[in-house]
Amino acid sequence: MGGETDIINVEIVVPNQTRYLSLIGNIAEQVAKTLDVYTGDRDALAYHLNLVLTEAMVNAIQHAAPGDANETVRVCMRIRDKDLRIYVYDHGQGFDLNAVPPPNLDALNERGRGIFFMRTFMDWVSYRKADNGNVLEMYKRLA
Amino acid sequence: MNISTENRNGRTILSLKEERLDAHNSGELKDYILKLLEDGHTRLVIDLSGVRFIDSSGLGALLSGYKNASLRSGSFVLAGLQPRVQSMFELTRLHRVFDIYPSLGEVPSSN
């Protein structure tokens, strides 16, 4: 029905282990596929959200306290109408996102494409101190 | 990581039996490829037809294989990329680095 406000809030907390990447990524895909408000290619959006969440969670795992079995990563997806926000929280030392340069795609480096993917598929990405740690926030207008 | 390996037409074919090639299993793939190269299997084909999702670390593992095969004057060929996986190679321009064939059947025999 038209005129109604679509609100979806998803919050997931998982151990900071890479074996949970597929769980988080698959949830993001399923959420994307329900977004009637998105007029573009929803299957492509599903892949891209899977990818940016996978990259953001790997980032959080790498920056969290290594080897701490009790450490967790918290992921939130918030959709209100055409505004999609993703938050990924970690408890690590953090890093300066603005100091991460665009990758040199002609160099055959094995690393350095994760933040490039986030910046490519989302409208903006930020990383800041929050809640005894850090939060990586990504925003996309679903137009 | 679930990988099947077979030798065919002078090449060693690795078929990845995983839907995702990501930071959880890419390290294992990288090590597996390196071990094959060290054991003298220097003409490798990676069959990606079963992989529907790849992230930056998956691309990195394949790049590692490519570079290590090149160091040994070997070959490193990709086959069977699904469209969205192919698009990740194009976005990162890696499709210009790798030899990519639409399917295993189209990979030429090794001389």
Side-chain angles (χ1 to χ4, degrees):
Chain A
M1 301 215 299
E4 294 189 351
T5 301
D6 286 329
I7 299 176
I8 299 175
N9 286 331
V10 179
E11 180 167 336
I12 313 152
V13 179
V14 292
N16 70 327
Q17 297 167 20
T18 54
R19 61 187 294 250
Y20 295 99
L21 292 175
S22 60
L23 172 66
I24 301 291
N26 288 339
I27 290 170
E29 284 209 359
Q30 294 306 316
V31 169
K33 288 176 180 175
T34 67
L35 295 176
D36 292 336
V37 69
Y38 187 65
T39 54
D41 182 341
R42 247 183 277 167
D43 287 338
L45 178 69
Y47 189 102
H48 297 157
L49 293 188
N50 186 342
L51 182 63
V52 299
L53 265 169
T54 297
E55 301 289 356
M57 190 169 154
V58 170
N59 183 72
I61 291 169
Q62 287 172 345
H63 288 96
D68 183 346
N70 297 317
E71 193 66 65
T72 55
V73 175
R74 182 158 69 100
V75 175
C76 301
M77 291 183 73
R78 292 185 185 151
I79 297 149
R80 178 181 289 264
D81 289 333
K82 288 177 178 281
D83 293 320
L84 164 65
R85 285 187 167 80
I86 296 172
Y87 303 85
V88 180
Y89 296 86
D90 71 70
H91 301 109
Q93 293 297 310
F95 68 102
D96 182 1
L97 179 70
N98 294 322
V100 179
N104 176 359
L105 295 177
D106 294 322
L108 301 183
N109 294 329
E110 291 168 34
R111 297 169 58 91
R113 295 177 185 81
I115 288 168
F116 168 72
F117 284 150
M118 292 186 235
R119 286 173 166 160
T120 298
F121 294 119
M122 303 298 284
D123 293 344
W124 55 257
V125 183
S126 75
Y127 187 78
R128 61 180 188 274
K129 295 280 179 199
D131 295 353
N132 300 320
N134 312 282
V135 58
L136 189 146
E137 180 181 357
M138 298 183 273
Y139 171 80
K140 185 178 181 66
R141 178 79 176 163
L142 298 170
Chain B
M1 182 174 212
N2 193 353
I3 306 173
S4 75
T5 307
E6 65 169 312
N7 294 306
R8 195 193 302 171
N9 298 330
R11 297 186 189 267
T12 302
I13 299 166
L14 281 73
S15 295
L16 309 192
K17 308 292 185 188
E18 303 278 351
E19 276 202 352
R20 289 173 62 97
L21 179 52
D22 64 16
H24 184 56
N25 53 17
S26 59
E28 198 179 332
L29 175 64
K30 183 176 163 176
D31 293 346
Y32 190 93
I33 290 170
L34 200 53
K35 178 78 165 54
L36 280 174
L37 290 168
E38 285 169 351
D39 289 346
H41 301 275
T42 56
R43 308 190 76 77
L44 300 181
V45 181
I46 314 297
D47 174 14
L48 290 167
S49 58
V51 175
R52 69 169 199 89
F53 178 89
I54 190 165
D55 74 354
S56 62
S57 68
L59 293 172
L62 295 173
L63 208 40
S64 162
Y66 168 82
K67 290 197 287 189
N68 281 299
S70 299
L71 280 175
R72 292 166 172 80
S73 303
S75 65
F76 192 85
V77 168
L78 306 180
L81 277 64
Q82 295 189 21
R84 297 217 188 281
V85 171
Q86 171 88 25
S87 72
M88 292 300 109
F89 282 81
E90 290 169 2
L91 177 66
T92 53
R93 301 188 201 158
L94 290 173
H95 64 303
R96 302 196 297 208
V97 174
F98 290 101
D99 281 331
I100 300 177
Y101 293 89
S103 67
L104 265 187
E106 289 164 87
V107 177
S109 298
S110 178
N111 296 318

